[in-house]
């Protein structure tokens, strides 16, 4: 158990819908990272938050957004969902922004029908 | 941009034997970190081992060790005394040592699926 929690574990929804994925980092970690794992794109970095502020943005679609709250949990919002958004979404956390290892949560498996 | 290449989509090893998974990477940086993550059928991403580029000594964690060749930009994972529980997808990952932009992100290879047979 990495100490990173993600809910829900599974999500099934329809095209055009909006969903919210939630992540709680390890105790004491200030950085949260979101990654997407899909069959065609592999594991890709989406976005990073550090202590409530957006720190870095990767290959995140405009339909997707994220935030980190004062209690340091983070939410990834996916809207206008398409079939191609079906993937495993991971959250990872680390204490800061440099040099530390990122520890991953169990992931949320999203299926868009 | 940094790239990570895992050229072996699948590998197989017999229980108790040793197997080596290959990884090469491309970077112009001198300060970086390399990782191996394991993804079993549960899909959880589990850290196996970490290597700092500035350290010449190869990292070791119990039955897992790496062969880090900085000049060749090679980072292979050796699993000794393989066990059934080692069966998983293994991902090599790169992280910059910089603290700017998207440097904190992990860049992953495409993975190697390891089968362990009796």
């Amino acid at each position: 158990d990495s100490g990173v929690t993600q809910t829900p574990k599974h999500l099934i929804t329809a095209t055009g819908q909006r969903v919210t994925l939630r992540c709680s980092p390890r105790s004491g970690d200030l950085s949260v990272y979101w990654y997407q794992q899909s069959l065609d794109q592999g594991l890709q970095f989406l976005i990073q938050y550090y202590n409530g502020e957006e720190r870095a943005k990767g290959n995140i679609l405009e339909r997707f957004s994220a935030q980190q709250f004062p209690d340091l949990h983070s939410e990834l919002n996916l809207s206008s969902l398409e079939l191609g958004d079906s993937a495993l979404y991971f959250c990872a956390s680390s204490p800061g922004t440099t040099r530390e290892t990122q520890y991953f949560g169990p992931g949320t498996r999203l299926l868009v029908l | 941009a940094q790239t990570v290449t895992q050229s072996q989509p699948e590998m197989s090893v017999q229980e108790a034997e040793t197997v080596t998974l290959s990884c090469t990477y491309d970077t112009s940086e001198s300060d970086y970190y390399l990782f191996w993550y394991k993804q079993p059928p549960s899909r959880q991403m589990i850290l196996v081992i970490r290597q700092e580029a500035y350290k010449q000594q190869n990292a070791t964690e119990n039955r897992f060790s790496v062969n880090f060749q900085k000049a060749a930009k090679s980072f292979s994972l050796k699993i000794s005394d393989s066990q059934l529980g080692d069966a998983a997808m293994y991902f090599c990952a790169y992280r910059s040592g910089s603290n700017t932009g998207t440097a904190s992100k992990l860049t992953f290879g495409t993975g190697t699926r390891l089968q362990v047979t009796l």
Side-chain angles (χ1 to χ4, degrees):
Chain A
D1 185 359
S2 67
V4 180
T5 60
Q6 290 187 248
T7 56
K9 288 186 179 178
H10 302 278
L11 205 46
I12 302 175
T13 189
T15 54
Q17 295 299 303
R18 172 188 169 96
V19 297
T20 297
L21 313 183
R22 181 186 170 106
C23 167
S24 292
R26 296 186 316 160
S27 177
D29 284 0
L30 299 179
S31 272
V32 169
Y33 310 79
W34 287 96
Y35 292 86
Q36 178 195 59
Q37 184 178 28
S38 62
L39 284 175
D40 55 344
Q41 297 289 330
L43 271 157
Q44 287 202 99
F45 168 73
L46 295 178
I47 197 164
Q48 177 200 1
Y49 276 80
Y50 173 73
N51 203 22
E53 300 290 326
E54 182 183 304
R55 175 81 178 177
K57 190 177 276 193
N59 300 322
I60 188 166
L61 299 172
E62 285 192 10
R63 301 183 285 108
F64 295 0
S65 65
Q67 54 185 325
Q68 186 179 27
F69 294 86
D71 67 352
L72 300 176
H73 91 272
S74 177
E75 293 181 357
L76 179 66
N77 301 295
L78 315 177
S79 61
S80 303
L81 285 167
E82 302 175 0
L83 297 178
D85 297 327
S86 296
L88 187 54
Y89 291 85
F90 284 108
C91 166
S93 76
S94 69
T97 61
T98 60
R99 305 181 183 279
E100 305 97 350
T101 297
Q102 295 176 25
Y103 292 92
F104 283 73
T108 292
R109 190 187 297 264
L110 173 66
L111 180 60
V112 182
L113 299 175
Chain B
Q2 294 82 18
T3 58
V4 177
T5 302
Q6 292 180 252
S7 59
Q8 305 155 316
E10 289 190 11
M11 293 281 286
S12 184
V13 64
Q14 280 193 317
E15 201 177 16
E17 296 297 308
T18 296
V19 64
T20 299
L21 308 184
S22 301
C23 172
T24 59
Y25 58 95
D26 188 25
T27 184
S28 58
E29 299 178 319
S30 58
D31 182 18
Y32 53 88
Y33 299 81
L34 297 165
F35 305 85
W36 280 98
Y37 282 88
K38 169 185 176 181
Q39 188 176 41
S42 67
R43 308 303 297 273
Q44 171 86 47
M45 292 289 286
I46 302 166
L47 176 71
V48 175
I49 202 163
R50 158 187 162 128
Q51 174 78 44
E52 293 85 354
Y54 62 84
K55 288 187 177 179
Q56 291 189 339
Q57 187 171 8
N58 290 323
T60 299
E61 286 288 341
N62 300 315
R63 297 182 296 106
F64 299 87
S65 61
V66 298
N67 183 5
F68 173 49
Q69 301 289 327
K70 190 171 184 178
K73 296 180 182 174
S74 170
F75 182 60
S76 61
L77 175 70
K78 185 171 84 170
I79 307 174
S80 304
D81 186 24
S82 296
Q83 301 175 358
L84 293 177
D86 295 333
M89 196 77 160
Y90 286 82
F91 290 96
C92 179
Y94 172 101
R95 187 209 182 284
S96 169
S98 170
N99 189 27
T100 59
T102 59
S104 298
K105 71 173 186 179
L106 290 170
T107 300
F108 287 91
T110 51
T112 296
R113 184 172 303 281
L114 178 66
Q115 282 188 316
V116 181
T117 59
L118 293 171

